[in-house]
Amino acid sequence: MSLPLEGLSAIVTGAGRGLGRAEALELARLGAAVVVNDYGQPGRDGSGTASAAPAEEVVAEIRAAGGRAVAHLGDVSDFESARALVDLAVEEFGKLDILVNNAGILRDRMVFSMSEDEWDSVVRVHLKGHFNTTHFAAVHWRGRAKAGETGVYGRIVNTSSEAFLAGSAGQPNYAAAKGGIVGLTTSTALALARYGVTANAICPRARTRMTEDVFAGFAEPTAEGELDPLSPEHVAPLVGYLASPAAAGVNGQLLVAHGGMVAIVDRPRVSAKFDTAKEAFTYEELDGLLSPHYASRPAGETFAASEVLGLKKG
C-alpha cells in the first residue's frame, strides 16, 4: 500500500525544533522526501550563532526511520537564501511539490515601547520569509506548467496565528505579520490555482520555545505517557493532510488546529449594515446609528486571552 505523499518532495522551514520538526517528521512518515530548513539560532528572538545542528538532527531522525531528507541552513528572510532552498529541493529530489512555511521569531513589546528594529525583524522573518519561499516555489511550478508539463502538483501550507484573529497586546509586530500571511495565502491561492497549486494557512496552538510564555500553566499532561494537549504532534497531521492529494479541493482556507481539534475559519462577514437616509452620511446621523449599536454590545467585546483561545489553566 503506497503512502499518501510517496514520490513527493517537501520543504519545511524552521524545522529544526518544535512545530516545524513535528511537521517535517510527519511529512516524511507519510512518504515525502524532505528538505529540513533551519537557521539554527538558539534564541527565539533570532539571536545567537547560527548552527546546522538542529536541522541535521531532524534529518538524522528521518533517515533513521527509512526516509529521505537533506538539511538546509539558511535564513528564509534573505531572498537569495530562499532561492537556494528551493533550488536544493529540485537538485536533490528532482522537483518540489510541497512547501510548508513555519520559520519565525518573537520580539514582543507593547506598541508604545516597540523599536523600529523589533518591528522590522519580526515582519521580515515571518511575512517576508513566507513571501520569499513562496515566490521561488511559484516560479518553479509555473515554469513547469509553461513548459507543457501536465498535472503539476503543488501544495503550500503557511503558518499564521490566532494572535491576528484575537489580538495580542504585546505582539503588534507578530500579529500584523501573521495577518499579512493570511492575505498572502489567499492571494497566492487565487494566482496559482490554474497551475494545480493550492495554498492554505493554519493557526496552530502548540507548546514550543516560541510559545513557552504564552502557554505557561495551561493544560499540561496529568498522566505518564499522556500526550500534551498542546503538543505540536496534534498539528502536524493537518499539515500532512493539506499537503496530500486528498486536499486537492482545499484552497485559500484558514484552519485552527490543536489538541485533537480542527476548526475552519470563515472569511469576515458583515455583522450589521446601515444606510444613510440622505445623499451622504453626516456625523450626527452616524452618531445616531453607530453609537446605540455599540452601546448594546459587551464593553468593547474584549475577552481574556484564555477565553479567546478556549484554554484553561490548570
Side-chain angles (χ1 to χ4, degrees):
M1 182 176 177
S2 63
L3 296 171
L5 304 183
E6 189 172 328
L8 302 178
S9 64
I11 289 172
V12 183
T13 72
R17 305 178 179 91
L19 188 60
R21 172 184 172 274
E23 292 166 346
L25 292 174
E26 176 68 3
L27 295 183
R29 187 188 72 80
L30 294 175
V34 183
V35 179
V36 178
N37 161 265
D38 201 285
Y39 201 27
Q41 291 174 305
R44 66 177 186 173
D45 61 351
S47 63
T49 303
S51 168
E56 290 177 346
E57 287 170 5
V58 176
V59 167
E61 285 187 74
I62 291 172
R63 290 177 176 173
R68 299 171 64 200
V70 62
H72 178 268
L73 173 66
D75 178 1
V76 293
S77 71
D78 180 84
F79 199 61
E80 291 306 315
S81 180
R83 183 201 302 271
L85 173 58
V86 173
D87 286 348
L88 177 62
V90 177
E91 291 165 5
E92 287 287 327
F93 306 125
K95 58 185 172 57
L96 173 65
D97 302 294
I98 301 159
L99 170 63
V100 179
N101 284 309
N102 173 73
I105 63 171
L106 290 178
R107 293 190 181 179
D108 295 351
R109 205 173 299 278
M110 293 291 193
V111 68
F112 44 77
S113 301
M114 181 164 287
S115 69
E116 181 181 16
D117 180 66
E118 287 166 338
W119 173 272
D120 288 348
S121 59
V122 169
V123 172
R124 184 184 69 249
V125 175
H126 286 274
L127 186 51
K128 187 185 177 187
H130 272 60
F131 162 73
N132 286 346
T133 54
T134 297
H135 167 76
F136 289 111
V139 168
H140 170 69
W141 289 319
R142 182 174 181 268
R144 287 165 52 189
K146 292 290 186 180
E149 181 177 337
T150 58
V152 173
Y153 186 101
R155 298 284 187 272
I156 298 173
V157 182
N158 288 332
T159 306
S160 182
S161 169
E162 289 168 298
F164 105 92
L165 285 171
S168 183
Q171 297 181 307
N173 48 5
Y174 180 77
K178 290 305 189 181
I181 286 168
V182 174
L184 171 65
T185 302
T186 54
S187 175
T188 301
L190 290 172
L192 299 186
R194 71 184 67 181
Y195 304 117
V197 178
T198 66
N200 296 286
I202 63 169
C203 293
R205 303 177 195 172
R207 198 189 313 274
T208 68
R209 67 178 185 139
M210 286 273 288
T211 61
E212 58 189 1
D213 296 339
V214 176
F215 295 129
F218 283 95
E220 297 190 24
T222 57
E224 185 176 352
E226 181 183 354
L227 185 62
D228 185 347
L230 290 171
S231 168
E233 280 70 26
H234 284 297
V235 177
L238 175 60
V239 174
Y241 166 75
L242 292 173
S244 76
V250 184
N251 196 26
Q253 299 296 299
L254 176 64
L255 302 98
V256 177
H258 77 106
M261 183 280 293
V262 171
I264 301 171
V265 180
D266 278 339
R267 295 189 180 188
R269 296 181 177 182
V270 175
S271 63
K273 180 177 177 292
F274 302 94
D275 296 306
T276 181
K278 304 174 183 179
E279 184 179 6
F281 275 114
T282 63
Y283 166 84
E284 290 77 14
E285 187 180 11
L286 288 171
D287 181 31
L289 291 170
L290 297 182
S291 295
H293 171 74
Y294 284 109
S296 67
R297 305 173 78 174
E301 292 203 286
T302 300
F303 302 94
S306 60
E307 294 177 285
V308 173
L309 298 176
L311 299 171
K312 295 181 180 180
K313 284 192 173 182

